Coordinates of all heavy atoms in Angstrom, one line a residue:
M1 N -3.2 1.0 -5.6 CA -3.8 0.5 -4.4 C -3.2 1.3 -3.2 O -2.0 1.5 -3.2 CB -3.4 -1.0 -4.2 CG -3.8 -1.5 -2.9 SD -3.1 -3.1 -2.6 CE -4.6 -4.0 -2.7
K2 N -4.0 1.7 -2.3 CA -3.6 2.4 -1.1 C -4.1 1.6 0.1 O -5.1 1.0 0.1 CB -4.2 3.8 -1.0 CG -3.6 4.8 -2.0 CD -4.1 6.1 -1.7 CE -3.5 7.2 -2.6 NZ -4.0 8.5 -2.3
F3 N -3.3 1.7 1.1 CA -3.7 1.1 2.4 C -4.4 2.2 3.2 O -3.7 3.0 3.9 CB -2.5 0.5 3.2 CG -1.9 -0.7 2.5 CD1 -0.8 -0.6 1.7 CD2 -2.5 -1.9 2.6 CE1 -0.3 -1.7 1.0 CE2 -2.0 -3.0 2.0 CZ -0.9 -2.9 1.2
R4 N -5.7 2.4 2.9 CA -6.4 3.6 3.5 C -6.3 3.6 5.0 O -6.4 4.7 5.6 CB -7.9 3.6 3.1 CG -8.0 4.0 1.6 CD -9.4 4.1 1.2 NE -9.9 2.8 0.9 CZ -11.2 2.5 0.9 NH1 -12.1 3.4 1.1 NH2 -11.6 1.3 0.6
L5 N -6.1 2.5 5.6 CA -6.0 2.4 7.1 C -4.8 3.3 7.6 O -4.9 3.8 8.7 CB -5.7 0.9 7.5 CG -5.5 0.7 9.0 CD1 -6.8 0.9 9.7 CD2 -5.0 -0.7 9.2
L6 N -3.8 3.5 6.7 CA -2.7 4.3 7.1 C -2.9 5.8 6.9 O -2.0 6.6 7.2 CB -1.4 3.9 6.4 CG -1.0 2.4 6.6 CD1 0.1 2.0 5.7 CD2 -0.7 2.1 8.0
E7 N -4.0 6.2 6.4 CA -4.2 7.7 6.1 C -4.6 8.5 7.3 O -4.7 9.7 7.3 CB -5.3 7.8 5.0 CG -4.8 7.3 3.7 CD -5.8 7.4 2.6 OE1 -7.0 7.9 2.9 OE2 -5.5 7.1 1.4
K8 N -4.9 7.8 8.5 CA -5.2 8.5 9.7 C -4.8 7.7 10.9 O -4.4 6.5 10.7 CB -6.7 8.8 9.7 CG -7.6 7.6 9.6 CD -9.0 7.9 9.5 CE -9.9 6.6 9.3 NZ -11.3 6.9 9.1
P9 N -4.8 8.3 12.1 CA -4.3 7.5 13.2 C -5.2 6.3 13.4 O -6.4 6.3 13.2 CB -4.6 8.5 14.4 CG -4.5 9.9 13.8 CD -5.1 9.7 12.4
I10 N -4.5 5.2 13.9 CA -5.2 3.9 14.1 C -5.6 3.9 15.6 O -4.7 3.9 16.5 CB -4.3 2.7 13.7 CG1 -3.9 2.9 12.3 CG2 -5.1 1.4 14.0 CD1 -2.9 1.9 11.9
S11 N -6.8 3.9 15.9 CA -7.2 3.9 17.3 C -7.4 2.5 17.9 O -8.5 2.1 18.1 CB -8.5 4.8 17.6 OG -9.3 4.7 16.5
L12 N -6.3 1.8 18.1 CA -6.3 0.5 18.7 C -5.1 0.4 19.6 O -4.3 1.3 19.6 CB -6.1 -0.6 17.6 CG -7.2 -0.8 16.6 CD1 -6.7 -1.8 15.5 CD2 -8.4 -1.3 17.2
H13 N -5.1 -0.6 20.4 CA -3.9 -0.8 21.3 C -2.6 -0.9 20.5 O -2.6 -1.5 19.4 CB -4.2 -2.1 22.1 CG -3.2 -2.3 23.2 ND1 -2.0 -2.9 23.1 CD2 -3.3 -1.9 24.5 CE1 -1.3 -2.9 24.2 NE2 -2.1 -2.3 25.1
P14 N -1.6 -0.3 21.0 CA -0.3 -0.3 20.2 C 0.2 -1.7 19.8 O 0.7 -1.9 18.7 CB 0.7 0.3 21.2 CG -0.1 1.2 22.1 CD -1.4 0.5 22.2
D15 N -0.1 -2.8 20.6 CA 0.3 -4.1 20.2 C -0.4 -4.5 18.9 O 0.1 -5.2 18.0 CB 0.0 -5.1 21.3 CG 1.0 -5.0 22.5 OD1 2.0 -4.3 22.3 OD2 0.6 -5.5 23.6
K16 N -1.7 -4.2 18.8 CA -2.5 -4.5 17.6 C -2.0 -3.7 16.4 O -1.9 -4.2 15.3 CB -4.0 -4.2 17.9 CG -4.6 -5.0 18.9 CD -5.0 -6.3 18.4 CE -5.8 -7.1 19.5 NZ -5.8 -8.5 19.3
V17 N -1.7 -2.4 16.7 CA -1.2 -1.6 15.6 C 0.1 -2.1 15.0 O 0.3 -2.2 13.8 CB -1.0 -0.1 16.1 CG1 -0.3 0.7 15.0 CG2 -2.3 0.5 16.5
D18 N 1.0 -2.6 15.9 CA 2.3 -3.2 15.5 C 2.0 -4.4 14.5 O 2.6 -4.6 13.5 CB 3.1 -3.7 16.6 CG 3.7 -2.6 17.4 OD1 3.7 -1.4 16.9 OD2 4.2 -2.8 18.5
L19 N 1.0 -5.3 14.9 CA 0.7 -6.4 14.1 C 0.1 -6.0 12.7 O 0.5 -6.6 11.7 CB -0.3 -7.3 14.8 CG 0.2 -8.1 16.0 CD1 -1.0 -8.8 16.8 CD2 1.2 -9.1 15.6
I20 N -0.7 -5.0 12.7 CA -1.3 -4.5 11.5 C -0.2 -3.9 10.6 O -0.2 -4.2 9.4 CB -2.4 -3.4 11.8 CG1 -3.6 -4.1 12.4 CG2 -2.8 -2.6 10.5 CD1 -4.6 -3.1 13.0
I21 N 0.7 -3.2 11.1 CA 1.8 -2.6 10.3 C 2.7 -3.7 9.7 O 3.0 -3.6 8.5 CB 2.6 -1.6 11.1 CG1 1.8 -0.4 11.6 CG2 3.8 -1.1 10.3 CD1 1.1 0.4 10.5
V22 N 3.0 -4.7 10.5 CA 3.8 -5.8 10.0 C 3.1 -6.5 8.9 O 3.7 -6.8 7.9 CB 4.2 -6.7 11.2 CG1 4.8 -8.0 10.6 CG2 5.2 -6.1 12.1
A23 N 1.8 -6.7 9.1 CA 1.0 -7.4 8.0 C 0.9 -6.6 6.8 O 1.1 -7.1 5.7 CB -0.4 -7.7 8.6
I24 N 0.7 -5.3 6.9 CA 0.7 -4.4 5.7 C 2.0 -4.4 5.0 O 2.1 -4.5 3.8 CB 0.3 -3.0 6.1 CG1 -1.2 -2.9 6.5 CG2 0.6 -2.0 5.0 CD1 -1.7 -1.6 7.1
C25 N 3.1 -4.4 5.7 CA 4.5 -4.4 5.1 C 4.7 -5.8 4.4 O 5.2 -5.8 3.2 CB 5.6 -4.3 6.2 SG 5.7 -2.6 6.8
G26 N 4.2 -6.8 4.9 CA 4.3 -8.1 4.3 C 3.5 -8.2 3.0 O 4.0 -8.7 2.0
I27 N 2.3 -7.7 3.1 CA 1.4 -7.6 1.9 C 2.0 -6.8 0.8 O 2.1 -7.1 -0.4 CB 0.0 -7.1 2.2 CG1 -0.7 -8.2 3.1 CG2 -0.8 -6.9 1.0 CD1 -2.0 -7.6 3.8
H28 N 2.6 -5.6 1.2 CA 3.2 -4.7 0.3 C 4.4 -5.4 -0.4 O 4.5 -5.3 -1.6 CB 3.7 -3.4 1.0 CG 4.7 -2.6 0.3 ND1 4.3 -1.7 -0.7 CD2 6.0 -2.5 0.4 CE1 5.4 -1.2 -1.2 NE2 6.4 -1.6 -0.5
N29 N 5.3 -6.0 0.4 CA 6.4 -6.7 -0.2 C 6.0 -7.8 -1.1 O 6.6 -8.0 -2.2 CB 7.3 -7.2 0.9 CG 8.0 -6.1 1.6 OD1 8.2 -5.0 1.1 ND2 8.4 -6.3 2.8
W30 N 5.0 -8.6 -0.8 CA 4.5 -9.7 -1.6 C 4.0 -9.1 -2.9 O 4.3 -9.6 -4.0 CB 3.5 -10.5 -0.9 CG 2.9 -11.6 -1.7 CD1 3.4 -12.8 -2.0 CD2 1.6 -11.5 -2.3 NE1 2.6 -13.5 -2.8 CE2 1.4 -12.8 -3.0 CE3 0.5 -10.6 -2.4 CZ2 0.3 -13.1 -3.7 CZ3 -0.6 -11.0 -3.1 CH2 -0.7 -12.2 -3.7
L31 N 3.2 -8.1 -2.8 CA 2.6 -7.5 -4.1 C 3.7 -6.9 -5.0 O 3.6 -7.0 -6.2 CB 1.6 -6.3 -3.7 CG 0.3 -6.8 -3.2 CD1 -0.5 -5.7 -2.6 CD2 -0.5 -7.5 -4.3
R32 N 4.8 -6.3 -4.4 CA 5.9 -5.8 -5.2 C 6.5 -6.9 -6.0 O 7.0 -6.7 -7.1 CB 6.9 -5.1 -4.3 CG 6.5 -3.8 -3.7 CD 7.1 -2.5 -4.1 NE 8.2 -2.5 -5.0 CZ 9.4 -2.0 -4.8 NH1 9.6 -1.5 -3.6 NH2 10.3 -2.0 -5.7
K33 N 6.6 -8.1 -5.4 CA 7.3 -9.2 -6.0 C 6.4 -9.9 -7.0 O 7.0 -10.5 -8.0 CB 7.8 -10.2 -5.0 CG 9.0 -9.6 -4.2 CD 9.5 -10.6 -3.2 CE 10.6 -10.1 -2.3 NZ 11.1 -11.0 -1.4
T34 N 5.1 -9.9 -6.8 CA 4.3 -10.8 -7.6 C 3.4 -10.1 -8.6 O 2.8 -10.8 -9.4 CB 3.4 -11.7 -6.7 OG1 2.6 -10.9 -5.9 CG2 4.3 -12.6 -5.8
S35 N 3.2 -8.8 -8.4 CA 2.2 -8.1 -9.3 C 2.9 -7.1 -10.2 O 3.8 -6.4 -9.8 CB 1.2 -7.3 -8.4 OG 0.4 -6.5 -9.2
N36 N 2.5 -7.2 -11.5 CA 3.0 -6.2 -12.4 C 2.2 -4.9 -12.4 O 2.5 -3.9 -13.1 CB 2.9 -6.8 -13.9 CG 3.8 -7.9 -14.0 OD1 4.9 -8.0 -13.5 ND2 3.5 -8.9 -14.8
Y37 N 1.1 -4.8 -11.6 CA 0.2 -3.7 -11.6 C 0.2 -2.9 -10.3 O -0.5 -1.9 -10.2 CB -1.2 -4.1 -12.0 CG -1.2 -4.9 -13.3 CD1 -1.3 -6.3 -13.4 CD2 -1.1 -4.2 -14.5 CE1 -1.3 -6.9 -14.6 CE2 -1.0 -4.9 -15.7 CZ -1.2 -6.2 -15.8 OH -1.1 -6.9 -16.9
Y38 N 0.8 -3.5 -9.3 CA 0.7 -2.9 -7.9 C 1.3 -1.5 -7.9 O 0.7 -0.5 -7.4 CB 1.3 -3.8 -6.9 CG 1.4 -3.2 -5.5 CD1 0.2 -2.8 -4.9 CD2 2.6 -3.1 -4.9 CE1 0.3 -2.3 -3.6 CE2 2.7 -2.6 -3.6 CZ 1.5 -2.2 -3.0 OH 1.6 -1.7 -1.7
I39 N 2.5 -1.4 -8.4 CA 3.3 -0.1 -8.4 C 3.8 0.2 -9.8 O 4.5 -0.7 -10.3 CB 4.4 -0.1 -7.4 CG1 3.9 -0.2 -5.9 CG2 5.3 1.1 -7.5 CD1 5.0 -0.2 -4.9
R40 N 3.6 1.4 -10.3 CA 4.2 1.7 -11.6 C 5.7 1.9 -11.4 O 6.2 2.2 -10.4 CB 3.6 3.1 -12.1 CG 2.1 3.0 -12.4 CD 1.6 4.3 -13.0 NE 2.5 5.5 -12.7 CZ 2.1 6.5 -11.9 NH1 1.0 6.5 -11.3 NH2 2.9 7.5 -11.8
R41 N 6.4 1.6 -12.5 CA 7.8 1.6 -12.5 C 8.4 3.0 -12.1 O 9.4 3.1 -11.4 CB 8.4 1.3 -13.9 CG 9.1 0.0 -13.9 CD 9.7 -0.3 -15.2 NE 9.4 -1.6 -15.6 CZ 10.1 -2.7 -15.2 NH1 11.1 -2.4 -14.3 NH2 9.9 -3.9 -15.5
D42 N 7.7 4.0 -12.5 CA 8.2 5.4 -12.2 C 7.8 5.9 -10.8 O 8.2 6.9 -10.4 CB 7.7 6.4 -13.3 CG 6.2 6.6 -13.3 OD1 5.5 5.8 -12.7 OD2 5.8 7.6 -13.8
S43 N 7.1 5.0 -10.1 CA 6.7 5.4 -8.7 C 7.8 5.4 -7.7 O 7.9 6.2 -6.8 CB 5.6 4.5 -8.2 OG 4.4 4.7 -8.9
V44 N 8.8 4.5 -7.9 CA 9.8 4.3 -6.9 C 11.1 5.0 -7.4 O 11.3 5.1 -8.6 CB 10.1 2.8 -6.6 CG1 8.8 2.3 -5.9 CG2 10.4 2.0 -7.8
D45 N 12.0 5.3 -6.5 CA 13.3 5.8 -6.8 C 14.1 4.8 -7.6 O 14.0 3.6 -7.3 CB 14.1 6.2 -5.6 CG 13.5 7.4 -4.8 OD1 12.5 8.0 -5.3 OD2 13.9 7.6 -3.7
I46 N 14.9 5.2 -8.5 CA 15.8 4.3 -9.3 C 17.2 4.9 -9.3 O 17.4 6.1 -9.4 CB 15.3 4.2 -10.8 CG1 13.9 3.7 -10.8 CG2 16.2 3.4 -11.6 CD1 13.2 3.8 -12.2
E47 N 18.2 4.0 -9.2 CA 19.6 4.4 -9.2 C 20.1 4.2 -10.6 O 20.0 3.1 -11.2 CB 20.4 3.6 -8.2 CG 21.9 4.0 -8.2 CD 22.7 3.3 -7.3 OE1 22.2 2.3 -6.6 OE2 23.9 3.6 -7.2
D48 N 20.7 5.2 -11.2 CA 21.4 5.1 -12.5 C 22.8 4.4 -12.1 O 23.6 4.9 -11.5 CB 21.7 6.5 -13.1 CG 22.4 6.4 -14.4 OD1 23.3 5.5 -14.6 OD2 22.1 7.2 -15.3
I49 N 22.9 3.1 -12.6 CA 24.1 2.3 -12.3 C 25.4 2.9 -12.8 O 26.4 2.5 -12.3 CB 23.9 0.8 -12.6 CG1 23.6 0.7 -14.1 CG2 22.8 0.2 -11.8 CD1 23.7 -0.8 -14.6
N50 N 25.3 3.7 -13.9 CA 26.5 4.3 -14.5 C 27.0 5.5 -13.7 O 28.2 5.7 -13.5 CB 26.2 4.7 -15.9 CG 25.9 3.5 -16.8 OD1 26.6 2.5 -16.7 ND2 24.9 3.6 -17.6
T51 N 26.1 6.3 -13.1 CA 26.5 7.5 -12.4 C 26.3 7.4 -10.9 O 26.9 8.3 -10.2 CB 25.7 8.7 -13.0 OG1 24.4 8.5 -12.6 CG2 25.9 8.9 -14.5
G52 N 25.5 6.5 -10.5 CA 25.2 6.4 -9.0 C 24.1 7.4 -8.6 O 23.7 7.5 -7.5
E53 N 23.6 8.2 -9.6 CA 22.6 9.2 -9.3 C 21.3 8.5 -9.0 O 20.9 7.5 -9.6 CB 22.4 10.1 -10.6 CG 21.3 11.1 -10.4 CD 21.0 11.9 -11.7 OE1 21.6 11.5 -12.7 OE2 20.2 12.8 -11.6
I54 N 20.6 9.0 -8.0 CA 19.2 8.6 -7.6 C 18.2 9.4 -8.4 O 18.2 10.6 -8.3 CB 19.0 8.7 -6.1 CG1 20.0 7.8 -5.3 CG2 17.6 8.2 -5.8 CD1 20.0 6.4 -5.6
I55 N 17.4 8.7 -9.2 CA 16.3 9.4 -9.9 C 15.1 9.3 -9.1 O 14.6 8.2 -8.9 CB 16.2 8.8 -11.3 CG1 17.5 8.9 -12.1 CG2 15.0 9.4 -12.1 CD1 17.6 7.9 -13.2
P56 N 14.5 10.4 -8.6 CA 13.4 10.3 -7.7 C 12.1 9.8 -8.4 O 11.9 10.0 -9.6 CB 13.1 11.8 -7.3 CG 14.4 12.5 -7.7 CD 15.0 11.8 -8.8
G57 N 11.4 9.0 -7.6 CA 10.1 8.5 -8.1 C 9.0 9.4 -7.9 O 9.1 10.4 -7.2
T58 N 7.9 9.2 -8.5 CA 6.7 10.1 -8.4 C 6.1 10.1 -7.0 O 5.4 11.0 -6.7 CB 5.6 9.7 -9.4 OG1 5.2 8.3 -9.2 CG2 6.1 9.8 -10.9
W59 N 6.4 9.0 -6.2 CA 5.9 9.0 -4.8 C 6.3 10.3 -4.1 O 5.6 10.7 -3.2 CB 6.4 7.8 -4.1 CG 7.8 7.8 -3.7 CD1 8.9 7.3 -4.4 CD2 8.4 8.3 -2.5 NE1 10.0 7.5 -3.7 CE2 9.8 8.1 -2.5 CE3 7.8 8.8 -1.3 CZ2 10.6 8.4 -1.5 CZ3 8.7 9.2 -0.3 CH2 10.0 9.0 -0.4
R60 N 7.5 10.8 -4.4 CA 7.9 12.0 -3.7 C 7.0 13.2 -3.9 O 6.7 13.9 -2.9 CB 9.4 12.3 -4.1 CG 10.4 11.3 -3.6 CD 11.8 11.6 -4.1 NE 12.7 10.6 -3.6 CZ 13.3 10.5 -2.5 NH1 13.1 11.5 -1.6 NH2 14.1 9.6 -2.2
S61 N 6.6 13.4 -5.1 CA 5.7 14.6 -5.3 C 4.3 14.3 -4.8 O 3.6 15.2 -4.3 CB 5.6 14.9 -6.8 OG 5.1 13.8 -7.6
E62 N 3.9 13.0 -4.8 CA 2.6 12.6 -4.2 C 2.6 12.9 -2.7 O 1.7 13.4 -2.2 CB 2.3 11.2 -4.6 CG 2.0 11.0 -6.0 CD 2.0 9.5 -6.5 OE1 2.1 8.6 -5.6 OE2 1.9 9.3 -7.7
L63 N 3.7 12.5 -2.1 CA 3.9 12.7 -0.7 C 3.9 14.2 -0.3 O 3.2 14.6 0.6 CB 5.2 12.1 -0.2 CG 5.5 12.2 1.3 CD1 4.5 11.5 2.1 CD2 6.9 11.7 1.6
N64 N 4.6 15.0 -1.1 CA 4.6 16.5 -0.9 C 3.2 17.0 -1.0 O 2.8 17.9 -0.3 CB 5.5 17.2 -1.9 CG 7.0 16.9 -1.5 OD1 7.3 16.6 -0.4 ND2 7.8 17.0 -2.5
D65 N 2.4 16.5 -2.0 CA 1.0 17.0 -2.2 C 0.2 16.7 -1.0 O -0.6 17.5 -0.5 CB 0.4 16.4 -3.5 CG 1.0 16.9 -4.7 OD1 1.7 18.0 -4.7 OD2 0.8 16.3 -5.8
Q66 N 0.3 15.4 -0.5 CA -0.4 15.0 0.7 C 0.0 15.9 1.9 O -0.9 16.3 2.7 CB -0.2 13.5 1.0 CG -0.8 12.6 0.1 CD -2.4 12.6 0.1 OE1 -2.9 12.9 1.2 NE2 -3.0 12.3 -1.0
S67 N 1.3 16.1 2.1 CA 1.8 16.9 3.2 C 1.2 18.3 3.2 O 0.8 18.9 4.2 CB 3.3 17.0 3.2 OG 3.8 15.7 3.4
K68 N 1.1 18.9 2.0 CA 0.6 20.3 1.9 C -0.9 20.3 2.3 O -1.3 21.2 3.0 CB 0.7 20.7 0.4 CG 2.1 21.1 0.0 CD 2.2 21.4 -1.4 CE 3.6 21.5 -1.9 NZ 3.8 21.7 -3.3
K69 N -1.6 19.2 1.9 CA -3.1 19.2 2.3 C -3.2 19.1 3.8 O -4.0 19.7 4.4 CB -3.7 18.0 1.7 CG -4.0 18.1 0.2 CD -4.6 16.9 -0.4 CE -4.6 16.9 -1.9 NZ -5.1 15.7 -2.5
I70 N -2.4 18.3 4.4 CA -2.4 18.1 5.9 C -2.1 19.4 6.6 O -2.8 19.8 7.5 CB -1.5 16.9 6.3 CG1 -2.0 15.6 5.8 CG2 -1.3 16.9 7.9 CD1 -1.0 14.4 6.0
F71 N -1.0 20.0 6.2 CA -0.5 21.2 7.0 C -1.4 22.4 6.7 O -1.6 23.2 7.6 CB 0.9 21.5 6.6 CG 1.9 20.5 7.2 CD1 2.6 19.7 6.4 CD2 1.9 20.3 8.6 CE1 3.5 18.7 7.0 CE2 2.7 19.3 9.2 CZ 3.5 18.6 8.4
T72 N -2.0 22.5 5.5 CA -2.9 23.6 5.3 C -4.2 23.4 5.9 O -4.9 24.4 6.4 CB -3.1 23.9 3.8 OG1 -3.5 22.7 3.1 CG2 -1.8 24.4 3.2
A73 N -4.7 22.1 6.1 CA -5.9 21.9 6.7 C -5.9 22.1 8.2 O -6.8 22.5 8.9 CB -6.4 20.4 6.4
N74 N -4.7 21.8 8.8 CA -4.5 22.0 10.3 C -4.0 23.3 10.7 O -3.9 23.6 11.8 CB -3.6 20.9 10.8 CG -4.2 19.5 10.7 OD1 -5.4 19.3 10.7 ND2 -3.3 18.5 10.5
G75 N -3.5 24.1 9.7 CA -2.7 25.2 10.0 C -3.3 26.6 10.2 O -2.9 27.4 10.8

């Protein structure tokens, strides 16, 4: 699930945008706690409790792919 609203600038008054962002964060947090299907386990960073090492989640490579598309399209 993606919040497509966040994929481009939101052309509303900043007060409305703040409310939308807070609502999206609330929905995201609720889904993380209540759904087994919202985010795959390997999507988020995980800490190895034995070594303290942070194991990167797949969101990082997905973000890099999106960034490359944005910068090459505008560049």
Side-chain angles (χ1 to χ4, degrees):
M1 169 189 255
K2 286 186 179 181
F3 294 98
R4 287 186 280 160
L5 179 69
L6 300 175
E7 292 180 356
K8 57 186 176 185
I10 304 171
S11 31
L12 293 172
H13 189 273
D15 290 341
K16 297 277 187 202
V17 174
D18 287 347
L19 291 173
I20 290 169
I21 299 302
V22 168
I24 288 173
C25 289
I27 293 167
H28 165 78
N29 290 338
W30 177 76
L31 286 169
R32 292 247 355 239
K33 290 180 181 180
T34 62
S35 174
N36 293 327
Y37 305 103
Y38 174 59
I39 294 180
R40 294 186 338 251
R41 248 183 224 282
D42 66 342
S43 294
V44 296
D45 297 347
I46 300 170
E47 180 181 5
D48 182 324
I49 58 171
N50 296 317
T51 65
E53 176 187 7
I54 301 297
I55 302 163
T58 59
W59 73 272
R60 292 178 181 273
S61 60
E62 292 166 6
L63 180 64
N64 288 336
D65 291 344
Q66 288 294 332
S67 297
K68 288 175 190 171
K69 288 178 189 175
I70 291 169
F71 290 117
T72 54
N74 294 331

